[in-house]
Amino acid sequence: MDYVFDFSFLESFRSEIINGVRLTILLTVVSILPGFALGTACAVGRLYGPRWLQTAVTIYIEAIRNTPLIIQVFWLFFGLTVLGARIGPFNAAVIALVINTGAYSAEIMRAGFQAIPKGQLEAANCLAMTRRQIFWNIQLPQAAELVYPALVSQFILMMLATSIMSQISVEELTGVGYQVQSITFRGFDVYLVIAVLYLALATMLRLCLHGAAQLAFTRLRKLRTPL
Amino acid sequence: MTVISMNTVHTPVAPQDGAQPMVSFRDVHKSFGALEVLKGIDLDVMPGQVAALIGRSGSGKSTALRCINGLEKINDGELTVCGRNLRARDFELRELRKEVGIVFQSYNLFPHLTVEQNVTLAPRKVNGLDAAESRALAAEVLEQVGLSDKASSYPEQLSGGQQQRVAIARSLAMRPKLMLFDEVTSALDPELTGEVLRVIGKLAAGGMTMVLVTHEMAFARQVADLVVYMHQGRVWEAGKGTMLDDPQTVELRQFVGSGL
Amino acid sequence: MLGVSLDQYGFLVQGAFWTVVLSLMGFVGGTIVGLPVALARISRGWFLCRASSAYVQFVQGIPLPVIMFVVYFGVSIYGFDVNALVAAAIAMTLYSSAYLGEIWKGCIQAVPKTQWEAGECLALTNLQRFIYIILPQALRIAVPPTVGFLVQIVKNTSYSVVIGFFDLTYSAKILNNATFKPFIIFTAAALIYFAICFPLSRYARRFELRLHRRNA
């Protein structure tokens, strides 16, 4: 039990690690909003859409939620390559993350829409607002606020899930770790550091999302209501 | 006070010459599944009149009120509101709702918006008012309900009575020709009821046409031009407020006697 | 069939077998560790509460592939021969214990407080109250989310591909390298995952609806 830690790789591979962190953040940031938008659209389609749309959305959600992300990524990346569509690993990763997060946020947002009291819609209808106006001004803000904590958890899970993208050669943080350990043979030390970096990223993302909530939900900010 | 047979209505305030009723029920039927809730209602409310629907729960009074702005669809008969036939082929529900305001028992204020935003949302989105216009409008209607100082508060910061007054202001901001009140004080503590009733009384005095479902007998007697006692899905007795002092039917006598 | 031989489909099924094995190991391990975590999370002891909370936040803030790597390399520095199955099982145990601990904590807390008070009136000790009154009720509440999490476990065993554990995902990856038929192979793999996960998801949802109806 005389293991000696050696973190000297932090110095020698500094720029690689920083690039890995950058790529992880980039993957996360560009996937969150489209994923949320897709999820919201699907929730709406499943709740209020015509029969065929409800069925289609349900199939999409169940297919994604009951298969691993990594299989979805392989399917998309290798499949598209065989078809001759060279969209590149980064784009494939983002598309996979958006499709995946969309399915999960769809279920979260659906719960949010269903939790809005019926009286809210009745009141808005009686004020002669159109379906569209009611959606944007009443339903969406209220549903998003109700389920925001669940959305935050989902987005953090998505950030963590970017760690498998090195499997299709997107060299995010975990992928950089693999390269570093294959050169230094300090796998344990390297991945301890990587783990700490992810913890920091998760904490940062949580703080950012809570900050975004303070901006988006004016009432919570003014009344200092915790989410 | 005259005794009236079932399904006919005596209109106590003499209508002005040629005036059309604001609300007109003709043999209106409404069922929920197999349950017939309205069994042929006839009722006229003239412009400027205040009509109070009273009766036990299950008598159909709330359903009748909700039919007026299309929250419930009638199954049979004819219902005309603000000159629009609700069963006409070219009937536009949204157009009707621009002219008819409704206040609910449970307020249904939008919790994520301030009082002012609650009041101005529909005028801005539906009627296209700009920021300055809607701000002035909010100031005006909040003044009317005595809540000028609460414009930037959120609903959860207000008492029940204040929330209900905001709900009234929200309806008024659409400049309705007709206001409906659905048991608006039933959810309130007795000490908060007065402030809401005073606002409604003021509106009535100002000439607003309104139909209200209420349990407040004293209030109905005082402000209503037309009191309509509903029983088992029918208009059982109707007349001026004084009808309550001298009920002609056993049912109304019992109802008044029960102190409801 | 579709340009992929029966043997090759058999290869996928073989991988699926190890996916199930790893899932079960992860679930059993997660239960053994997760139950104490849940109890520690609701304990009144300051240290237990803090320590268990820190454990949960730690595990939930680190991607499972990274946990896999840490365990994989960690085991090796203590001189053990690195077996991918052992490393993956330990990683799955860490991962699922944190989530299961958090889920079960919620279930225990979901039992109405009055039930504790009622137990007090019957002069039961703390332990007796927990075992005879709270636990049976919490268990019922816990069934749907636990089964639901089982789906997460099955899906997330696929991350063991990063340390080279032979499971369904790994076998599909190898097969794809050999045949270059990604759509067919990964669709087949996805269907196998779906066949395992979907019944569990459905059962969890059904059971939850039943609980809701009973309580309504």
PDB file of all heavy atoms in Angstrom, chain A residues 75-105:
ATOM      1  N   TRP A  75     -25.447   4.231 -33.540  1.00  0.00           N
ATOM      2  CA  TRP A  75     -26.427   4.069 -34.613  1.00  0.00           C
ATOM      3  C   TRP A  75     -26.358   5.270 -35.546  1.00  0.00           C
ATOM      4  O   TRP A  75     -26.241   5.142 -36.765  1.00  0.00           O
ATOM      5  CB  TRP A  75     -27.817   3.948 -33.990  1.00  0.00           C
ATOM      6  CG  TRP A  75     -28.894   3.461 -34.904  1.00  0.00           C
ATOM      7  CD1 TRP A  75     -29.264   2.168 -35.116  1.00  0.00           C
ATOM      8  CD2 TRP A  75     -29.773   4.262 -35.700  1.00  0.00           C
ATOM      9  NE1 TRP A  75     -30.308   2.113 -35.999  1.00  0.00           N
ATOM     10  CE2 TRP A  75     -30.640   3.375 -36.375  1.00  0.00           C
ATOM     11  CE3 TRP A  75     -29.912   5.634 -35.923  1.00  0.00           C
ATOM     12  CZ2 TRP A  75     -31.638   3.820 -37.249  1.00  0.00           C
ATOM     13  CZ3 TRP A  75     -30.891   6.073 -36.786  1.00  0.00           C
ATOM     14  CH2 TRP A  75     -31.744   5.160 -37.441  1.00  0.00           C
ATOM     15  N   LEU A  76     -26.401   6.454 -34.922  1.00  0.00           N
ATOM     16  CA  LEU A  76     -26.419   7.692 -35.695  1.00  0.00           C
ATOM     17  C   LEU A  76     -25.097   7.911 -36.429  1.00  0.00           C
ATOM     18  O   LEU A  76     -25.071   8.154 -37.635  1.00  0.00           O
ATOM     19  CB  LEU A  76     -26.682   8.864 -34.733  1.00  0.00           C
ATOM     20  CG  LEU A  76     -27.093  10.184 -35.342  1.00  0.00           C
ATOM     21  CD1 LEU A  76     -28.526  10.095 -35.838  1.00  0.00           C
ATOM     22  CD2 LEU A  76     -26.992  11.287 -34.295  1.00  0.00           C
ATOM     23  N   PHE A  77     -23.993   7.781 -35.674  1.00  0.00           N
ATOM     24  CA  PHE A  77     -22.690   8.127 -36.234  1.00  0.00           C
ATOM     25  C   PHE A  77     -22.248   7.127 -37.315  1.00  0.00           C
ATOM     26  O   PHE A  77     -21.971   7.495 -38.448  1.00  0.00           O
ATOM     27  CB  PHE A  77     -21.651   8.208 -35.122  1.00  0.00           C
ATOM     28  CG  PHE A  77     -20.280   8.565 -35.622  1.00  0.00           C
ATOM     29  CD1 PHE A  77     -20.043   9.812 -36.202  1.00  0.00           C
ATOM     30  CD2 PHE A  77     -19.237   7.663 -35.540  1.00  0.00           C
ATOM     31  CE1 PHE A  77     -18.793  10.146 -36.665  1.00  0.00           C
ATOM     32  CE2 PHE A  77     -17.974   7.999 -36.015  1.00  0.00           C
ATOM     33  CZ  PHE A  77     -17.753   9.238 -36.570  1.00  0.00           C
ATOM     34  N   PHE A  78     -22.216   5.837 -36.944  1.00  0.00           N
ATOM     35  CA  PHE A  78     -21.768   4.839 -37.915  1.00  0.00           C
ATOM     36  C   PHE A  78     -22.791   4.665 -39.032  1.00  0.00           C
ATOM     37  O   PHE A  78     -22.433   4.461 -40.185  1.00  0.00           O
ATOM     38  CB  PHE A  78     -21.479   3.505 -37.221  1.00  0.00           C
ATOM     39  CG  PHE A  78     -20.307   3.579 -36.280  1.00  0.00           C
ATOM     40  CD1 PHE A  78     -20.472   3.367 -34.921  1.00  0.00           C
ATOM     41  CD2 PHE A  78     -19.039   3.893 -36.752  1.00  0.00           C
ATOM     42  CE1 PHE A  78     -19.390   3.439 -34.053  1.00  0.00           C
ATOM     43  CE2 PHE A  78     -17.947   3.975 -35.888  1.00  0.00           C
ATOM     44  CZ  PHE A  78     -18.129   3.750 -34.529  1.00  0.00           C
ATOM     45  N   GLY A  79     -24.048   4.752 -38.664  1.00  0.00           N
ATOM     46  CA  GLY A  79     -25.100   4.619 -39.669  1.00  0.00           C
ATOM     47  C   GLY A  79     -24.986   5.704 -40.726  1.00  0.00           C
ATOM     48  O   GLY A  79     -24.989   5.424 -41.926  1.00  0.00           O
ATOM     49  N   LEU A  80     -24.862   6.959 -40.275  1.00  0.00           N
ATOM     50  CA  LEU A  80     -24.771   8.064 -41.231  1.00  0.00           C
ATOM     51  C   LEU A  80     -23.510   7.952 -42.074  1.00  0.00           C
ATOM     52  O   LEU A  80     -23.510   8.300 -43.254  1.00  0.00           O
ATOM     53  CB  LEU A  80     -24.797   9.405 -40.488  1.00  0.00           C
ATOM     54  CG  LEU A  80     -26.172   9.803 -39.950  1.00  0.00           C
ATOM     55  CD1 LEU A  80     -26.083  11.129 -39.205  1.00  0.00           C
ATOM     56  CD2 LEU A  80     -27.184   9.916 -41.089  1.00  0.00           C
ATOM     57  N   THR A  81     -22.435   7.462 -41.473  1.00  0.00           N
ATOM     58  CA  THR A  81     -21.189   7.309 -42.220  1.00  0.00           C
ATOM     59  C   THR A  81     -21.377   6.321 -43.373  1.00  0.00           C
ATOM     60  O   THR A  81     -20.948   6.565 -44.497  1.00  0.00           O
ATOM     61  CB  THR A  81     -20.071   6.807 -41.293  1.00  0.00           C
ATOM     62  OG1 THR A  81     -20.046   7.641 -40.137  1.00  0.00           O
ATOM     63  CG2 THR A  81     -18.724   6.877 -41.981  1.00  0.00           C
ATOM     64  N   VAL A  82     -22.040   5.205 -43.061  1.00  0.00           N
ATOM     65  CA  VAL A  82     -22.278   4.206 -44.103  1.00  0.00           C
ATOM     66  C   VAL A  82     -23.141   4.789 -45.215  1.00  0.00           C
ATOM     67  O   VAL A  82     -22.941   4.528 -46.394  1.00  0.00           O
ATOM     68  CB  VAL A  82     -22.935   2.955 -43.497  1.00  0.00           C
ATOM     69  CG1 VAL A  82     -23.549   2.096 -44.593  1.00  0.00           C
ATOM     70  CG2 VAL A  82     -21.904   2.161 -42.719  1.00  0.00           C
ATOM     71  N   LEU A  83     -24.111   5.631 -44.820  1.00  0.00           N
ATOM     72  CA  LEU A  83     -24.982   6.254 -45.817  1.00  0.00           C
ATOM     73  C   LEU A  83     -24.228   7.286 -46.652  1.00  0.00           C
ATOM     74  O   LEU A  83     -24.752   7.800 -47.629  1.00  0.00           O
ATOM     75  CB  LEU A  83     -26.162   6.944 -45.131  1.00  0.00           C
ATOM     76  CG  LEU A  83     -27.274   6.041 -44.630  1.00  0.00           C
ATOM     77  CD1 LEU A  83     -28.432   6.889 -44.110  1.00  0.00           C
ATOM     78  CD2 LEU A  83     -27.764   5.113 -45.728  1.00  0.00           C
ATOM     79  N   GLY A  84     -23.021   7.626 -46.209  1.00  0.00           N
ATOM     80  CA  GLY A  84     -22.238   8.586 -46.963  1.00  0.00           C
ATOM     81  C   GLY A  84     -22.396  10.012 -46.486  1.00  0.00           C
ATOM     82  O   GLY A  84     -21.785  10.923 -47.017  1.00  0.00           O
ATOM     83  N   ALA A  85     -23.235  10.210 -45.465  1.00  0.00           N
ATOM     84  CA  ALA A  85     -23.412  11.559 -44.925  1.00  0.00           C
ATOM     85  C   ALA A  85     -22.320  11.820 -43.912  1.00  0.00           C
ATOM     86  O   ALA A  85     -22.338  11.264 -42.822  1.00  0.00           O
ATOM     87  CB  ALA A  85     -24.798  11.695 -44.283  1.00  0.00           C
ATOM     88  N   ARG A  86     -21.362  12.635 -44.277  1.00  0.00           N
ATOM     89  CA  ARG A  86     -20.259  12.900 -43.351  1.00  0.00           C
ATOM     90  C   ARG A  86     -20.572  14.161 -42.568  1.00  0.00           C
ATOM     91  O   ARG A  86     -20.213  15.255 -42.978  1.00  0.00           O
ATOM     92  CB  ARG A  86     -18.968  13.050 -44.130  1.00  0.00           C
ATOM     93  CG  ARG A  86     -18.674  11.856 -45.007  1.00  0.00           C
ATOM     94  CD  ARG A  86     -17.179  11.571 -45.100  1.00  0.00           C
ATOM     95  NE  ARG A  86     -16.956  10.263 -45.714  1.00  0.00           N
ATOM     96  CZ  ARG A  86     -16.836   9.146 -45.010  1.00  0.00           C
ATOM     97  NH1 ARG A  86     -16.904   9.182 -43.700  1.00  0.00           N
ATOM     98  NH2 ARG A  86     -16.646   7.997 -45.618  1.00  0.00           N
ATOM     99  N   ILE A  87     -21.237  13.991 -41.439  1.00  0.00           N
ATOM    100  CA  ILE A  87     -21.580  15.177 -40.654  1.00  0.00           C
ATOM    101  C   ILE A  87     -20.530  15.430 -39.581  1.00  0.00           C
ATOM    102  O   ILE A  87     -20.570  16.441 -38.903  1.00  0.00           O
ATOM    103  CB  ILE A  87     -22.965  15.051 -39.985  1.00  0.00           C
ATOM    104  CG1 ILE A  87     -23.028  13.792 -39.123  1.00  0.00           C
ATOM    105  CG2 ILE A  87     -24.068  15.068 -41.013  1.00  0.00           C
ATOM    106  CD1 ILE A  87     -24.186  13.797 -38.166  1.00  0.00           C
ATOM    107  N   GLY A  88     -19.609  14.524 -39.398  1.00  0.00           N
ATOM    108  CA  GLY A  88     -18.565  14.742 -38.399  1.00  0.00           C
ATOM    109  C   GLY A  88     -19.004  14.302 -37.020  1.00  0.00           C
ATOM    110  O   GLY A  88     -20.178  14.385 -36.688  1.00  0.00           O
ATOM    111  N   PRO A  89     -18.034  13.854 -36.219  1.00  0.00           N
ATOM    112  CA  PRO A  89     -18.365  13.319 -34.905  1.00  0.00           C
ATOM    113  C   PRO A  89     -18.996  14.360 -33.969  1.00  0.00           C
ATOM    114  O   PRO A  89     -19.922  14.028 -33.225  1.00  0.00           O
ATOM    115  CB  PRO A  89     -17.022  12.834 -34.358  1.00  0.00           C
ATOM    116  CG  PRO A  89     -15.980  13.315 -35.273  1.00  0.00           C
ATOM    117  CD  PRO A  89     -16.627  13.686 -36.567  1.00  0.00           C
ATOM    118  N   PHE A  90     -18.509  15.600 -34.020  1.00  0.00           N
ATOM    119  CA  PHE A  90     -19.062  16.596 -33.100  1.00  0.00           C
ATOM    120  C   PHE A  90     -20.546  16.816 -33.371  1.00  0.00           C
ATOM    121  O   PHE A  90     -21.377  16.814 -32.463  1.00  0.00           O
ATOM    122  CB  PHE A  90     -18.302  17.924 -33.223  1.00  0.00           C
ATOM    123  CG  PHE A  90     -18.824  18.989 -32.298  1.00  0.00           C
ATOM    124  CD1 PHE A  90     -18.427  19.029 -30.969  1.00  0.00           C
ATOM    125  CD2 PHE A  90     -19.737  19.941 -32.751  1.00  0.00           C
ATOM    126  CE1 PHE A  90     -18.917  20.001 -30.107  1.00  0.00           C
ATOM    127  CE2 PHE A  90     -20.235  20.915 -31.894  1.00  0.00           C
ATOM    128  CZ  PHE A  90     -19.815  20.945 -30.569  1.00  0.00           C
ATOM    129  N   ASN A  91     -20.888  16.997 -34.647  1.00  0.00           N
ATOM    130  CA  ASN A  91     -22.297  17.208 -34.984  1.00  0.00           C
ATOM    131  C   ASN A  91     -23.143  15.997 -34.616  1.00  0.00           C
ATOM    132  O   ASN A  91     -24.264  16.141 -34.110  1.00  0.00           O
ATOM    133  CB  ASN A  91     -22.449  17.503 -36.471  1.00  0.00           C
ATOM    134  CG  ASN A  91     -21.861  18.860 -36.827  1.00  0.00           C
ATOM    135  OD1 ASN A  91     -21.731  19.726 -35.955  1.00  0.00           O
ATOM    136  ND2 ASN A  91     -21.484  19.033 -38.082  1.00  0.00           N
ATOM    137  N   ALA A  92     -22.583  14.806 -34.856  1.00  0.00           N
ATOM    138  CA  ALA A  92     -23.322  13.594 -34.505  1.00  0.00           C
ATOM    139  C   ALA A  92     -23.576  13.551 -32.998  1.00  0.00           C
ATOM    140  O   ALA A  92     -24.670  13.210 -32.544  1.00  0.00           O
ATOM    141  CB  ALA A  92     -22.553  12.356 -34.945  1.00  0.00           C
ATOM    142  N   ALA A  93     -22.555  13.934 -32.230  1.00  0.00           N
ATOM    143  CA  ALA A  93     -22.697  13.931 -30.772  1.00  0.00           C
ATOM    144  C   ALA A  93     -23.799  14.895 -30.333  1.00  0.00           C
ATOM    145  O   ALA A  93     -24.641  14.556 -29.499  1.00  0.00           O
ATOM    146  CB  ALA A  93     -21.370  14.307 -30.117  1.00  0.00           C
ATOM    147  N   VAL A  94     -23.789  16.099 -30.913  1.00  0.00           N
ATOM    148  CA  VAL A  94     -24.789  17.091 -30.529  1.00  0.00           C
ATOM    149  C   VAL A  94     -26.195  16.613 -30.903  1.00  0.00           C
ATOM    150  O   VAL A  94     -27.132  16.703 -30.099  1.00  0.00           O
ATOM    151  CB  VAL A  94     -24.495  18.457 -31.183  1.00  0.00           C
ATOM    152  CG1 VAL A  94     -25.662  19.416 -31.000  1.00  0.00           C
ATOM    153  CG2 VAL A  94     -23.229  19.063 -30.586  1.00  0.00           C
ATOM    154  N   ILE A  95     -26.325  16.077 -32.114  1.00  0.00           N
ATOM    155  CA  ILE A  95     -27.647  15.595 -32.531  1.00  0.00           C
ATOM    156  C   ILE A  95     -28.138  14.498 -31.583  1.00  0.00           C
ATOM    157  O   ILE A  95     -29.285  14.506 -31.132  1.00  0.00           O
ATOM    158  CB  ILE A  95     -27.592  15.077 -33.986  1.00  0.00           C
ATOM    159  CG1 ILE A  95     -27.320  16.243 -34.939  1.00  0.00           C
ATOM    160  CG2 ILE A  95     -28.910  14.402 -34.362  1.00  0.00           C
ATOM    161  CD1 ILE A  95     -27.062  15.802 -36.370  1.00  0.00           C
ATOM    162  N   ALA A  96     -27.240  13.572 -31.253  1.00  0.00           N
ATOM    163  CA  ALA A  96     -27.634  12.483 -30.352  1.00  0.00           C
ATOM    164  C   ALA A  96     -28.057  13.035 -28.987  1.00  0.00           C
ATOM    165  O   ALA A  96     -29.062  12.605 -28.414  1.00  0.00           O
ATOM    166  CB  ALA A  96     -26.492  11.497 -30.192  1.00  0.00           C
ATOM    167  N   LEU A  97     -27.297  14.007 -28.470  1.00  0.00           N
ATOM    168  CA  LEU A  97     -27.628  14.578 -27.163  1.00  0.00           C
ATOM    169  C   LEU A  97     -28.978  15.293 -27.207  1.00  0.00           C
ATOM    170  O   LEU A  97     -29.784  15.192 -26.280  1.00  0.00           O
ATOM    171  CB  LEU A  97     -26.537  15.558 -26.713  1.00  0.00           C
ATOM    172  CG  LEU A  97     -25.234  14.932 -26.229  1.00  0.00           C
ATOM    173  CD1 LEU A  97     -24.171  15.996 -26.010  1.00  0.00           C
ATOM    174  CD2 LEU A  97     -25.471  14.158 -24.927  1.00  0.00           C
ATOM    175  N   VAL A  98     -29.226  16.024 -28.296  1.00  0.00           N
ATOM    176  CA  VAL A  98     -30.487  16.752 -28.416  1.00  0.00           C
ATOM    177  C   VAL A  98     -31.665  15.767 -28.476  1.00  0.00           C
ATOM    178  O   VAL A  98     -32.670  15.922 -27.779  1.00  0.00           O
ATOM    179  CB  VAL A  98     -30.484  17.660 -29.661  1.00  0.00           C
ATOM    180  CG1 VAL A  98     -31.876  18.183 -29.967  1.00  0.00           C
ATOM    181  CG2 VAL A  98     -29.519  18.820 -29.462  1.00  0.00           C
ATOM    182  N   ILE A  99     -31.508  14.735 -29.297  1.00  0.00           N
ATOM    183  CA  ILE A  99     -32.587  13.752 -29.428  1.00  0.00           C
ATOM    184  C   ILE A  99     -32.832  13.054 -28.094  1.00  0.00           C
ATOM    185  O   ILE A  99     -33.972  12.855 -27.667  1.00  0.00           O
ATOM    186  CB  ILE A  99     -32.220  12.720 -30.514  1.00  0.00           C
ATOM    187  CG1 ILE A  99     -32.269  13.392 -31.886  1.00  0.00           C
ATOM    188  CG2 ILE A  99     -33.160  11.523 -30.474  1.00  0.00           C
ATOM    189  CD1 ILE A  99     -31.826  12.488 -33.013  1.00  0.00           C
ATOM    190  N   ASN A 100     -31.743  12.711 -27.410  1.00  0.00           N
ATOM    191  CA  ASN A 100     -31.855  12.023 -26.132  1.00  0.00           C
ATOM    192  C   ASN A 100     -32.496  12.908 -25.065  1.00  0.00           C
ATOM    193  O   ASN A 100     -33.470  12.520 -24.411  1.00  0.00           O
ATOM    194  CB  ASN A 100     -30.445  11.582 -25.697  1.00  0.00           C
ATOM    195  CG  ASN A 100     -30.489  10.669 -24.498  1.00  0.00           C
ATOM    196  OD1 ASN A 100     -30.429  11.137 -23.374  1.00  0.00           O
ATOM    197  ND2 ASN A 100     -30.610   9.371 -24.734  1.00  0.00           N
ATOM    198  N   THR A 101     -31.958  14.117 -24.910  1.00  0.00           N
ATOM    199  CA  THR A 101     -32.501  15.033 -23.909  1.00  0.00           C
ATOM    200  C   THR A 101     -33.936  15.420 -24.242  1.00  0.00           C
ATOM    201  O   THR A 101     -34.764  15.606 -23.346  1.00  0.00           O
ATOM    202  CB  THR A 101     -31.633  16.305 -23.836  1.00  0.00           C
ATOM    203  OG1 THR A 101     -30.294  15.912 -23.581  1.00  0.00           O
ATOM    204  CG2 THR A 101     -32.094  17.224 -22.727  1.00  0.00           C
ATOM    205  N   GLY A 102     -34.233  15.525 -25.532  1.00  0.00           N
ATOM    206  CA  GLY A 102     -35.596  15.857 -25.947  1.00  0.00           C
ATOM    207  C   GLY A 102     -36.603  14.872 -25.393  1.00  0.00           C
ATOM    208  O   GLY A 102     -37.653  15.263 -24.885  1.00  0.00           O
ATOM    209  N   ALA A 103     -36.284  13.590 -25.454  1.00  0.00           N
ATOM    210  CA  ALA A 103     -37.226  12.573 -24.987  1.00  0.00           C
ATOM    211  C   ALA A 103     -37.468  12.686 -23.484  1.00  0.00           C
ATOM    212  O   ALA A 103     -38.598  12.560 -23.017  1.00  0.00           O
ATOM    213  CB  ALA A 103     -36.699  11.180 -25.331  1.00  0.00           C
ATOM    214  N   TYR A 104     -36.382  12.939 -22.739  1.00  0.00           N
ATOM    215  CA  TYR A 104     -36.545  13.042 -21.283  1.00  0.00           C
ATOM    216  C   TYR A 104     -37.254  14.336 -20.896  1.00  0.00           C
ATOM    217  O   TYR A 104     -38.142  14.339 -20.049  1.00  0.00           O
ATOM    218  CB  TYR A 104     -35.185  12.938 -20.585  1.00  0.00           C
ATOM    219  CG  TYR A 104     -34.646  11.527 -20.593  1.00  0.00           C
ATOM    220  CD1 TYR A 104     -33.785  11.093 -21.584  1.00  0.00           C
ATOM    221  CD2 TYR A 104     -35.032  10.620 -19.616  1.00  0.00           C
ATOM    222  CE1 TYR A 104     -33.302   9.793 -21.607  1.00  0.00           C
ATOM    223  CE2 TYR A 104     -34.556   9.317 -19.621  1.00  0.00           C
ATOM    224  CZ  TYR A 104     -33.694   8.910 -20.624  1.00  0.00           C
ATOM    225  OH  TYR A 104     -33.232   7.628 -20.641  1.00  0.00           O
ATOM    226  N   SER A 105     -36.861  15.459 -21.524  1.00  0.00           N
ATOM    227  CA  SER A 105     -37.532  16.710 -21.172  1.00  0.00           C
ATOM    228  C   SER A 105     -38.997  16.681 -21.587  1.00  0.00           C
ATOM    229  O   SER A 105     -39.821  17.348 -20.980  1.00  0.00           O
ATOM    230  CB  SER A 105     -36.869  17.938 -21.796  1.00  0.00           C
ATOM    231  OG  SER A 105     -35.596  17.684 -22.236  1.00  0.00           O
TER     232      SER A 105
END
